Amino acid sequence: MFIEKTGIEKLICIQFSKEFSEISPSDFIQNILMEKVNTKKIIVGYNYRFGKGKTGDVEFLKNKCKEFNIEVVAIEALKIDNKVVSSSRIRGLIKNGEVEEASKFLGRDYPIFGRVVEGSKRGNLLGFPTANLEISEELYPKTGVYAVEVEWNKMVFNGLANVGFNPTFSKNDSKSFSLEVHILDFDKDIYGEEIKVNFKRRIRDEIRFDSPELLIDQIRKDIQWAKENVFKH
């Protein structure tokens, strides 16, 4: 909720604490918005709800605020392809690996920032060195292989990211989640540095291969597919 106060020309944002969730919608409007804040104008989203049990909605807010001469403006839902743009929809798409669809609603590719840490260096042995990102509380896409763009030192590179547990080499009882990025045409030492990984498109599920040779062959195919279907654009 955004509130315009008397005598102030800019909008201010009020962060409501847990205590506000126990106040009835009517008391919230009268005791907080009117008496304490002296509100003149309120801007809310189309699906805004407030008060104890979230029983107050936009219509209730508009009707009640008329008594105090408070103007209420409800922002209409933003839609793309007739679908409402919302954080929950975007999170769901990312969790399902639909990063290309998520990009349409975000207006940009979904990024993950991370510091490059030392890993098993297995990628070097396979001929595809990877930058292992330190795992944080980020929202990670569904496990699998993705075509990505990597930003480092104000430069942008194409790459492939593996999100998951490396089933070809992980034992069943020692799986460890990781985000590894193979940056194409790149040979810099970037340990300890931060990079930004922009997810472009999901290529495939994470697969357990019977041998490293089969994995190497699949990685080559993944790179070729990404070059033909993602990076050429």
Short mmCIF file of all heavy atoms in Angstrom, two decimals, residues 105-169:
data_model
loop_
_atom_site.label_atom_id
_atom_site.label_comp_id
_atom_site.label_asym_id
_atom_site.label_seq_id
_atom_site.Cartn_x
_atom_site.Cartn_y
_atom_site.Cartn_z
N PHE A 105 7.41 -12.42 -18.24
CA PHE A 105 6.71 -11.71 -17.17
C PHE A 105 7.64 -10.80 -16.38
O PHE A 105 7.20 -9.79 -15.83
CB PHE A 105 6.04 -12.72 -16.23
CG PHE A 105 4.90 -13.46 -16.86
CD1 PHE A 105 5.09 -14.71 -17.44
CD2 PHE A 105 3.63 -12.91 -16.90
CE1 PHE A 105 4.05 -15.39 -18.05
CE2 PHE A 105 2.58 -13.58 -17.50
CZ PHE A 105 2.78 -14.82 -18.08
N LEU A 106 8.92 -11.17 -16.31
CA LEU A 106 9.89 -10.32 -15.61
C LEU A 106 10.33 -9.14 -16.46
O LEU A 106 10.75 -8.11 -15.93
CB LEU A 106 11.13 -11.15 -15.24
CG LEU A 106 11.02 -12.06 -14.02
CD1 LEU A 106 12.25 -12.97 -13.95
CD2 LEU A 106 10.90 -11.26 -12.75
N GLY A 107 10.28 -9.30 -17.77
CA GLY A 107 10.81 -8.28 -18.66
C GLY A 107 12.30 -8.39 -18.85
O GLY A 107 12.95 -7.52 -19.43
N ARG A 108 12.87 -9.47 -18.37
CA ARG A 108 14.31 -9.75 -18.49
C ARG A 108 14.53 -11.21 -18.13
O ARG A 108 13.63 -11.87 -17.60
CB ARG A 108 15.12 -8.87 -17.51
CG ARG A 108 14.66 -9.00 -16.06
CD ARG A 108 15.49 -8.19 -15.12
NE ARG A 108 14.92 -8.14 -13.77
CZ ARG A 108 15.00 -9.10 -12.87
NH1 ARG A 108 15.64 -10.24 -13.17
NH2 ARG A 108 14.45 -8.97 -11.67
N ASP A 109 15.72 -11.70 -18.39
CA ASP A 109 16.04 -13.08 -18.00
C ASP A 109 16.19 -13.17 -16.49
O ASP A 109 16.65 -12.23 -15.84
CB ASP A 109 17.34 -13.55 -18.67
CG ASP A 109 17.21 -13.65 -20.18
OD1 ASP A 109 16.12 -14.01 -20.64
OD2 ASP A 109 18.20 -13.36 -20.88
N TYR A 110 15.81 -14.33 -15.95
CA TYR A 110 15.95 -14.53 -14.51
C TYR A 110 17.43 -14.70 -14.16
O TYR A 110 18.11 -15.56 -14.70
CB TYR A 110 15.16 -15.76 -14.05
CG TYR A 110 15.34 -16.03 -12.57
CD1 TYR A 110 14.81 -15.14 -11.63
CD2 TYR A 110 16.05 -17.13 -12.11
CE1 TYR A 110 14.97 -15.37 -10.28
CE2 TYR A 110 16.21 -17.36 -10.76
CZ TYR A 110 15.68 -16.48 -9.85
OH TYR A 110 15.85 -16.69 -8.50
N PRO A 111 17.95 -13.87 -13.23
CA PRO A 111 19.38 -13.95 -12.90
C PRO A 111 19.63 -14.59 -11.53
O PRO A 111 18.81 -14.52 -10.62
CB PRO A 111 19.78 -12.48 -12.86
CG PRO A 111 18.57 -11.81 -12.26
CD PRO A 111 17.35 -12.63 -12.70
N ILE A 112 20.79 -15.20 -11.41
CA ILE A 112 21.32 -15.62 -10.11
C ILE A 112 22.73 -15.06 -10.00
O ILE A 112 23.56 -15.25 -10.89
CB ILE A 112 21.32 -17.15 -9.95
CG1 ILE A 112 19.88 -17.65 -9.74
CG2 ILE A 112 22.20 -17.57 -8.77
CD1 ILE A 112 19.78 -19.15 -9.49
N PHE A 113 22.98 -14.36 -8.90
CA PHE A 113 24.31 -13.84 -8.63
C PHE A 113 25.02 -14.80 -7.68
O PHE A 113 24.40 -15.34 -6.76
CB PHE A 113 24.22 -12.46 -7.96
CG PHE A 113 23.60 -11.39 -8.83
CD1 PHE A 113 22.22 -11.27 -8.92
CD2 PHE A 113 24.39 -10.53 -9.55
CE1 PHE A 113 21.64 -10.28 -9.70
CE2 PHE A 113 23.83 -9.54 -10.35
CZ PHE A 113 22.45 -9.42 -10.43
N GLY A 114 26.30 -15.00 -7.89
CA GLY A 114 27.01 -15.89 -7.00
C GLY A 114 28.51 -15.73 -7.08
O GLY A 114 29.05 -15.27 -8.09
N ARG A 115 29.16 -16.09 -5.99
CA ARG A 115 30.62 -16.05 -5.94
C ARG A 115 31.15 -17.40 -6.40
O ARG A 115 30.66 -18.46 -6.00
CB ARG A 115 31.09 -15.74 -4.52
CG ARG A 115 32.60 -15.55 -4.39
CD ARG A 115 32.92 -15.00 -3.00
NE ARG A 115 32.56 -15.97 -1.98
CZ ARG A 115 33.39 -16.91 -1.52
NH1 ARG A 115 34.62 -17.02 -2.00
NH2 ARG A 115 32.98 -17.74 -0.58
N VAL A 116 32.18 -17.37 -7.25
CA VAL A 116 32.76 -18.59 -7.78
C VAL A 116 33.66 -19.22 -6.72
O VAL A 116 34.58 -18.57 -6.20
CB VAL A 116 33.58 -18.31 -9.06
CG1 VAL A 116 34.20 -19.60 -9.58
CG2 VAL A 116 32.69 -17.69 -10.12
N VAL A 117 33.36 -20.47 -6.38
CA VAL A 117 34.13 -21.18 -5.36
C VAL A 117 34.76 -22.42 -5.98
O VAL A 117 34.38 -22.87 -7.07
CB VAL A 117 33.24 -21.59 -4.17
CG1 VAL A 117 32.70 -20.35 -3.47
CG2 VAL A 117 32.08 -22.48 -4.62
N GLU A 118 35.70 -22.99 -5.28
CA GLU A 118 36.40 -24.17 -5.79
C GLU A 118 35.51 -25.39 -5.64
O GLU A 118 34.89 -25.62 -4.61
CB GLU A 118 37.70 -24.38 -5.01
CG GLU A 118 38.61 -25.43 -5.63
CD GLU A 118 40.01 -25.42 -5.04
OE1 GLU A 118 40.46 -24.35 -4.60
OE2 GLU A 118 40.64 -26.49 -5.02
N GLY A 119 35.44 -26.18 -6.70
CA GLY A 119 34.65 -27.40 -6.67
C GLY A 119 35.52 -28.63 -6.81
O GLY A 119 36.70 -28.62 -6.45
N SER A 120 34.95 -29.67 -7.36
CA SER A 120 35.69 -30.92 -7.53
C SER A 120 36.65 -30.88 -8.70
O SER A 120 37.51 -31.76 -8.84
CB SER A 120 34.70 -32.08 -7.74
OG SER A 120 33.98 -31.89 -8.95
N LYS A 121 36.53 -29.87 -9.55
CA LYS A 121 37.36 -29.71 -10.76
C LYS A 121 37.18 -30.89 -11.72
O LYS A 121 38.03 -31.17 -12.55
CB LYS A 121 38.83 -29.54 -10.39
CG LYS A 121 39.08 -28.29 -9.57
CD LYS A 121 40.57 -28.07 -9.30
CE LYS A 121 40.78 -26.79 -8.51
NZ LYS A 121 42.20 -26.53 -8.23
N ARG A 122 36.04 -31.55 -11.60
CA ARG A 122 35.75 -32.67 -12.49
C ARG A 122 35.55 -32.20 -13.92
O ARG A 122 35.87 -32.89 -14.88
CB ARG A 122 34.51 -33.42 -11.99
CG ARG A 122 34.26 -34.75 -12.68
CD ARG A 122 33.05 -35.43 -12.09
NE ARG A 122 33.27 -35.83 -10.72
CZ ARG A 122 32.64 -35.30 -9.67
NH1 ARG A 122 31.73 -34.35 -9.86
NH2 ARG A 122 32.88 -35.71 -8.45
N GLY A 123 35.02 -30.97 -14.05
CA GLY A 123 34.80 -30.42 -15.39
C GLY A 123 36.08 -30.29 -16.17
O GLY A 123 36.10 -30.49 -17.40
N ASN A 124 37.18 -29.95 -15.50
CA ASN A 124 38.47 -29.85 -16.19
C ASN A 124 38.88 -31.18 -16.78
O ASN A 124 39.40 -31.26 -17.90
CB ASN A 124 39.54 -29.36 -15.21
CG ASN A 124 39.35 -27.91 -14.83
OD1 ASN A 124 38.85 -27.12 -15.62
ND2 ASN A 124 39.73 -27.55 -13.61
N LEU A 125 38.64 -32.25 -16.01
CA LEU A 125 39.01 -33.58 -16.48
C LEU A 125 38.16 -34.01 -17.67
O LEU A 125 38.62 -34.75 -18.54
CB LEU A 125 38.86 -34.60 -15.34
CG LEU A 125 39.74 -34.35 -14.10
CD1 LEU A 125 39.42 -35.36 -13.01
CD2 LEU A 125 41.22 -34.43 -14.48
N LEU A 126 36.92 -33.52 -17.71
CA LEU A 126 36.03 -33.87 -18.82
C LEU A 126 36.28 -33.00 -20.05
O LEU A 126 35.76 -33.30 -21.13
CB LEU A 126 34.57 -33.71 -18.38
CG LEU A 126 34.07 -34.64 -17.26
CD1 LEU A 126 32.65 -34.27 -16.87
CD2 LEU A 126 34.15 -36.10 -17.68
N GLY A 127 37.04 -31.93 -19.87
CA GLY A 127 37.28 -31.02 -20.99
C GLY A 127 36.30 -29.87 -21.04
O GLY A 127 36.30 -29.10 -22.00
N PHE A 128 35.46 -29.73 -20.00
CA PHE A 128 34.49 -28.66 -19.92
C PHE A 128 34.57 -28.02 -18.54
O PHE A 128 33.74 -28.31 -17.67
CB PHE A 128 33.07 -29.17 -20.19
CG PHE A 128 32.90 -29.79 -21.54
CD1 PHE A 128 32.98 -31.17 -21.70
CD2 PHE A 128 32.68 -29.00 -22.66
CE1 PHE A 128 32.82 -31.75 -22.95
CE2 PHE A 128 32.52 -29.58 -23.92
CZ PHE A 128 32.60 -30.96 -24.07
N PRO A 129 35.57 -27.17 -18.30
CA PRO A 129 35.73 -26.56 -16.97
C PRO A 129 34.50 -25.73 -16.59
O PRO A 129 33.87 -25.10 -17.44
CB PRO A 129 36.96 -25.67 -17.14
CG PRO A 129 37.07 -25.44 -18.62
CD PRO A 129 36.56 -26.68 -19.27
N THR A 130 34.16 -25.78 -15.32
CA THR A 130 32.97 -25.08 -14.85
C THR A 130 33.30 -24.12 -13.71
O THR A 130 34.24 -24.33 -12.95
CB THR A 130 31.90 -26.07 -14.35
OG1 THR A 130 32.43 -26.85 -13.27
CG2 THR A 130 31.44 -26.98 -15.47
N ALA A 131 32.50 -23.08 -13.63
CA ALA A 131 32.55 -22.16 -12.49
C ALA A 131 31.45 -22.60 -11.52
O ALA A 131 30.27 -22.59 -11.87
CB ALA A 131 32.31 -20.72 -12.96
N ASN A 132 31.87 -23.02 -10.33
CA ASN A 132 30.92 -23.45 -9.31
C ASN A 132 30.50 -22.26 -8.48
O ASN A 132 31.35 -21.57 -7.90
CB ASN A 132 31.54 -24.50 -8.40
CG ASN A 132 31.72 -25.83 -9.10
OD1 ASN A 132 32.03 -25.86 -10.28
ND2 ASN A 132 31.56 -26.92 -8.38
N LEU A 133 29.19 -22.03 -8.38
CA LEU A 133 28.71 -20.89 -7.61
C LEU A 133 28.39 -21.30 -6.18
O LEU A 133 27.85 -22.39 -5.94
CB LEU A 133 27.46 -20.28 -8.25
CG LEU A 133 27.72 -19.14 -9.25
CD1 LEU A 133 28.46 -19.66 -10.47
CD2 LEU A 133 26.44 -18.46 -9.64
N GLU A 134 28.75 -20.43 -5.26
CA GLU A 134 28.43 -20.64 -3.86
C GLU A 134 26.92 -20.65 -3.71
O GLU A 134 26.23 -19.72 -4.15
CB GLU A 134 29.05 -19.52 -3.04
CG GLU A 134 28.94 -19.69 -1.55
CD GLU A 134 29.69 -18.60 -0.80
OE1 GLU A 134 29.55 -17.42 -1.20
OE2 GLU A 134 30.41 -18.93 0.15
N ILE A 135 26.38 -21.68 -3.07
CA ILE A 135 24.94 -21.83 -2.93
C ILE A 135 24.42 -20.89 -1.84
O ILE A 135 25.01 -20.78 -0.76
CB ILE A 135 24.56 -23.28 -2.60
CG1 ILE A 135 25.01 -24.20 -3.74
CG2 ILE A 135 23.07 -23.42 -2.37
CD1 ILE A 135 24.40 -23.86 -5.09
N SER A 136 23.33 -20.19 -2.14
CA SER A 136 22.75 -19.24 -1.20
C SER A 136 21.25 -19.51 -1.08
O SER A 136 20.77 -20.59 -1.42
CB SER A 136 23.01 -17.82 -1.69
OG SER A 136 22.37 -17.61 -2.95
N GLU A 137 20.52 -18.52 -0.62
CA GLU A 137 19.06 -18.67 -0.45
C GLU A 137 18.29 -18.23 -1.70
O GLU A 137 17.11 -17.93 -1.62
CB GLU A 137 18.60 -17.84 0.75
CG GLU A 137 19.18 -18.30 2.07
CD GLU A 137 18.82 -19.74 2.40
OE1 GLU A 137 17.66 -20.12 2.20
OE2 GLU A 137 19.71 -20.47 2.85
N GLU A 138 18.96 -18.19 -2.83
CA GLU A 138 18.31 -17.79 -4.08
C GLU A 138 17.20 -18.78 -4.45
O GLU A 138 17.17 -19.92 -3.99
CB GLU A 138 19.35 -17.76 -5.22
CG GLU A 138 20.43 -16.71 -5.05
CD GLU A 138 20.02 -15.37 -5.63
OE1 GLU A 138 18.86 -15.23 -6.02
OE2 GLU A 138 20.88 -14.47 -5.66
N LEU A 139 16.30 -18.32 -5.31
CA LEU A 139 15.30 -19.20 -5.90
C LEU A 139 15.95 -19.86 -7.10
O LEU A 139 16.27 -19.19 -8.09
CB LEU A 139 14.07 -18.40 -6.33
CG LEU A 139 13.03 -19.15 -7.16
CD1 LEU A 139 12.43 -20.30 -6.37
CD2 LEU A 139 11.94 -18.19 -7.64
N TYR A 140 16.18 -21.16 -7.04
CA TYR A 140 16.86 -21.87 -8.12
C TYR A 140 15.84 -22.53 -9.05
O TYR A 140 14.81 -23.04 -8.60
CB TYR A 140 17.80 -22.94 -7.55
CG TYR A 140 19.01 -22.36 -6.87
CD1 TYR A 140 18.98 -22.06 -5.51
CD2 TYR A 140 20.17 -22.06 -7.58
CE1 TYR A 140 20.09 -21.50 -4.88
CE2 TYR A 140 21.28 -21.50 -6.96
CZ TYR A 140 21.23 -21.23 -5.61
OH TYR A 140 22.32 -20.67 -5.00
N PRO A 141 16.14 -22.53 -10.34
CA PRO A 141 15.25 -23.23 -11.28
C PRO A 141 15.27 -24.73 -11.03
O PRO A 141 16.15 -25.26 -10.35
CB PRO A 141 15.86 -22.89 -12.66
CG PRO A 141 16.74 -21.71 -12.43
CD PRO A 141 17.24 -21.85 -11.04
N LYS A 142 14.31 -25.39 -11.62
CA LYS A 142 14.24 -26.85 -11.55
C LYS A 142 15.55 -27.46 -12.03
O LYS A 142 16.20 -26.94 -12.92
CB LYS A 142 13.08 -27.33 -12.44
CG LYS A 142 12.87 -28.83 -12.49
CD LYS A 142 11.71 -29.16 -13.41
CE LYS A 142 11.50 -30.67 -13.51
NZ LYS A 142 10.37 -30.98 -14.43
N THR A 143 15.94 -28.57 -11.41
CA THR A 143 17.19 -29.22 -11.79
C THR A 143 17.20 -29.53 -13.28
O THR A 143 16.18 -29.89 -13.87
CB THR A 143 17.40 -30.51 -10.99
OG1 THR A 143 16.30 -31.40 -11.21
CG2 THR A 143 17.53 -30.22 -9.51
N GLY A 144 18.38 -29.38 -13.88
CA GLY A 144 18.52 -29.63 -15.31
C GLY A 144 19.64 -28.82 -15.90
O GLY A 144 20.42 -28.17 -15.19
N VAL A 145 19.72 -28.85 -17.21
CA VAL A 145 20.75 -28.13 -17.95
C VAL A 145 20.10 -26.96 -18.69
O VAL A 145 19.06 -27.12 -19.32
CB VAL A 145 21.47 -29.05 -18.95
CG1 VAL A 145 22.50 -28.28 -19.78
CG2 VAL A 145 22.14 -30.21 -18.21
N TYR A 146 20.73 -25.78 -18.60
CA TYR A 146 20.16 -24.55 -19.15
C TYR A 146 21.17 -23.81 -20.03
O TYR A 146 22.38 -23.84 -19.76
CB TYR A 146 19.75 -23.60 -18.03
CG TYR A 146 18.61 -24.10 -17.18
CD1 TYR A 146 18.84 -25.01 -16.14
CD2 TYR A 146 17.31 -23.67 -17.39
CE1 TYR A 146 17.81 -25.47 -15.35
CE2 TYR A 146 16.26 -24.13 -16.60
CZ TYR A 146 16.51 -25.03 -15.58
OH TYR A 146 15.48 -25.49 -14.80
N ALA A 147 20.65 -23.18 -21.06
CA ALA A 147 21.45 -22.22 -21.82
C ALA A 147 21.40 -20.91 -21.04
O ALA A 147 20.32 -20.46 -20.65
CB ALA A 147 20.89 -22.04 -23.22
N VAL A 148 22.57 -20.31 -20.81
CA VAL A 148 22.63 -19.11 -19.99
C VAL A 148 23.55 -18.07 -20.60
O VAL A 148 24.34 -18.37 -21.52
CB VAL A 148 23.15 -19.44 -18.55
CG1 VAL A 148 22.22 -20.41 -17.85
CG2 VAL A 148 24.57 -19.99 -18.60
N GLU A 149 23.44 -16.86 -20.12
CA GLU A 149 24.42 -15.81 -20.38
C GLU A 149 25.10 -15.49 -19.06
O GLU A 149 24.44 -15.41 -18.02
CB GLU A 149 23.75 -14.55 -20.94
CG GLU A 149 23.45 -14.61 -22.42
CD GLU A 149 22.91 -13.29 -22.96
OE1 GLU A 149 22.62 -12.40 -22.13
OE2 GLU A 149 22.78 -13.16 -24.18
N VAL A 150 26.41 -15.34 -19.10
CA VAL A 150 27.18 -15.08 -17.90
C VAL A 150 27.79 -13.69 -18.00
O VAL A 150 28.46 -13.36 -18.99
CB VAL A 150 28.29 -16.13 -17.70
CG1 VAL A 150 29.11 -15.82 -16.45
CG2 VAL A 150 27.69 -17.53 -17.61
N GLU A 151 27.55 -12.87 -16.98
CA GLU A 151 28.13 -11.53 -16.94
C GLU A 151 29.27 -11.52 -15.92
O GLU A 151 29.09 -11.91 -14.75
CB GLU A 151 27.07 -10.50 -16.55
CG GLU A 151 25.95 -10.37 -17.58
CD GLU A 151 24.96 -9.28 -17.22
OE1 GLU A 151 25.40 -8.26 -16.63
OE2 GLU A 151 23.77 -9.45 -17.52
N TRP A 152 30.43 -11.08 -16.37
CA TRP A 152 31.61 -10.98 -15.51
C TRP A 152 32.48 -9.83 -15.98
O TRP A 152 32.75 -9.71 -17.18
CB TRP A 152 32.42 -12.28 -15.55
CG TRP A 152 33.76 -12.16 -14.89
CD1 TRP A 152 34.03 -12.13 -13.55
CD2 TRP A 152 35.03 -12.04 -15.55
NE1 TRP A 152 35.38 -11.99 -13.33
CE2 TRP A 152 36.02 -11.93 -14.54
CE3 TRP A 152 35.42 -12.01 -16.89
CZ2 TRP A 152 37.38 -11.79 -14.84
CZ3 TRP A 152 36.77 -11.87 -17.19
CH2 TRP A 152 37.73 -11.77 -16.17
N ASN A 153 32.87 -8.99 -15.06
CA ASN A 153 33.79 -7.91 -15.36
C ASN A 153 33.30 -7.05 -16.53
O ASN A 153 34.07 -6.69 -17.42
CB ASN A 153 35.19 -8.46 -15.64
CG ASN A 153 36.27 -7.40 -15.54
OD1 ASN A 153 36.12 -6.42 -14.82
ND2 ASN A 153 37.35 -7.60 -16.27
N LYS A 154 31.98 -6.77 -16.54
CA LYS A 154 31.34 -5.95 -17.56
C LYS A 154 31.37 -6.59 -18.95
O LYS A 154 31.19 -5.91 -19.95
CB LYS A 154 31.98 -4.55 -17.62
CG LYS A 154 31.84 -3.76 -16.33
CD LYS A 154 32.45 -2.38 -16.46
CE LYS A 154 32.29 -1.60 -15.15
NZ LYS A 154 32.90 -0.24 -15.25
N MET A 155 31.59 -7.89 -18.99
CA MET A 155 31.56 -8.63 -20.25
C MET A 155 30.50 -9.73 -20.17
O MET A 155 30.17 -10.20 -19.09
CB MET A 155 32.93 -9.24 -20.56
CG MET A 155 34.01 -8.21 -20.84
SD MET A 155 35.61 -8.96 -21.29
CE MET A 155 36.15 -9.57 -19.69
N VAL A 156 29.97 -10.11 -21.32
CA VAL A 156 28.90 -11.12 -21.38
C VAL A 156 29.36 -12.30 -22.22
O VAL A 156 29.89 -12.13 -23.33
CB VAL A 156 27.60 -10.52 -21.98
CG1 VAL A 156 26.51 -11.57 -22.02
CG2 VAL A 156 27.15 -9.33 -21.15
N PHE A 157 29.14 -13.52 -21.69
CA PHE A 157 29.55 -14.74 -22.37
C PHE A 157 28.37 -15.70 -22.43
O PHE A 157 27.50 -15.70 -21.55
CB PHE A 157 30.70 -15.42 -21.63
CG PHE A 157 31.91 -14.55 -21.44
CD1 PHE A 157 32.01 -13.72 -20.32
CD2 PHE A 157 32.95 -14.54 -22.36
CE1 PHE A 157 33.12 -12.91 -20.13
CE2 PHE A 157 34.05 -13.74 -22.18
CZ PHE A 157 34.14 -12.92 -21.06
N ASN A 158 28.34 -16.54 -23.44
CA ASN A 158 27.36 -17.62 -23.50
C ASN A 158 27.87 -18.80 -22.67
O ASN A 158 29.09 -18.97 -22.49
CB ASN A 158 27.15 -18.07 -24.94
CG ASN A 158 26.52 -16.99 -25.79
OD1 ASN A 158 25.68 -16.23 -25.32
ND2 ASN A 158 26.90 -16.92 -27.06
N GLY A 159 26.94 -19.60 -22.19
CA GLY A 159 27.36 -20.74 -21.40
C GLY A 159 26.24 -21.74 -21.17
O GLY A 159 25.10 -21.53 -21.59
N LEU A 160 26.60 -22.84 -20.51
CA LEU A 160 25.65 -23.86 -20.10
C LEU A 160 25.73 -24.01 -18.60
O LEU A 160 26.82 -24.05 -18.03
CB LEU A 160 25.97 -25.21 -20.76
CG LEU A 160 25.10 -25.62 -21.96
CD1 LEU A 160 25.32 -24.63 -23.10
CD2 LEU A 160 25.45 -27.02 -22.40
N ALA A 161 24.58 -24.07 -17.95
CA ALA A 161 24.54 -24.23 -16.50
C ALA A 161 23.88 -25.55 -16.14
O ALA A 161 22.87 -25.93 -16.75
CB ALA A 161 23.77 -23.08 -15.85
N ASN A 162 24.48 -26.23 -15.18
CA ASN A 162 23.86 -27.45 -14.65
C ASN A 162 23.39 -27.15 -13.23
O ASN A 162 24.18 -26.80 -12.36
CB ASN A 162 24.85 -28.61 -14.62
CG ASN A 162 24.17 -29.92 -14.24
OD1 ASN A 162 23.66 -30.63 -15.08
ND2 ASN A 162 24.15 -30.23 -12.95
N VAL A 163 22.09 -27.29 -13.04
CA VAL A 163 21.49 -27.08 -11.72
C VAL A 163 21.07 -28.44 -11.19
O VAL A 163 20.25 -29.12 -11.82
CB VAL A 163 20.26 -26.16 -11.81
CG1 VAL A 163 19.65 -25.95 -10.43
CG2 VAL A 163 20.63 -24.82 -12.43
N GLY A 164 21.66 -28.86 -10.08
CA GLY A 164 21.25 -30.16 -9.55
C GLY A 164 22.29 -30.86 -8.73
O GLY A 164 23.03 -30.24 -7.96
N PHE A 165 22.39 -32.19 -8.94
CA PHE A 165 23.15 -33.04 -8.02
C PHE A 165 24.23 -33.89 -8.70
O PHE A 165 24.79 -34.79 -8.07
CB PHE A 165 22.18 -33.96 -7.27
CG PHE A 165 21.15 -33.21 -6.48
CD1 PHE A 165 19.91 -32.92 -7.03
CD2 PHE A 165 21.41 -32.77 -5.20
CE1 PHE A 165 18.95 -32.22 -6.32
CE2 PHE A 165 20.46 -32.07 -4.47
CZ PHE A 165 19.23 -31.80 -5.03
N ASN A 166 24.51 -33.63 -9.97
CA ASN A 166 25.55 -34.39 -10.69
C ASN A 166 25.39 -35.90 -10.48
O ASN A 166 26.27 -36.56 -9.93
CB ASN A 166 26.94 -33.95 -10.22
CG ASN A 166 27.22 -32.51 -10.55
OD1 ASN A 166 27.18 -32.10 -11.70
ND2 ASN A 166 27.49 -31.72 -9.51
N PRO A 167 24.28 -36.48 -10.92
CA PRO A 167 23.99 -37.88 -10.63
C PRO A 167 25.00 -38.86 -11.22
O PRO A 167 25.14 -39.98 -10.71
CB PRO A 167 22.61 -38.10 -11.25
CG PRO A 167 22.50 -37.04 -12.30
CD PRO A 167 23.23 -35.86 -11.75
N THR A 168 25.71 -38.48 -12.29
CA THR A 168 26.68 -39.40 -12.89
C THR A 168 27.83 -39.69 -11.93
O THR A 168 28.38 -40.79 -11.92
CB THR A 168 27.24 -38.82 -14.20
OG1 THR A 168 26.16 -38.61 -15.11
CG2 THR A 168 28.26 -39.76 -14.84
N PHE A 169 28.16 -38.71 -11.08
CA PHE A 169 29.31 -38.87 -10.20
C PHE A 169 28.95 -38.91 -8.72
O PHE A 169 29.77 -39.27 -7.90
CB PHE A 169 30.30 -37.72 -10.43
CG PHE A 169 30.83 -37.67 -11.83
CD1 PHE A 169 30.30 -36.76 -12.75
CD2 PHE A 169 31.83 -38.53 -12.25
CE1 PHE A 169 30.78 -36.71 -14.04
CE2 PHE A 169 32.31 -38.49 -13.55
CZ PHE A 169 31.78 -37.58 -14.46
#
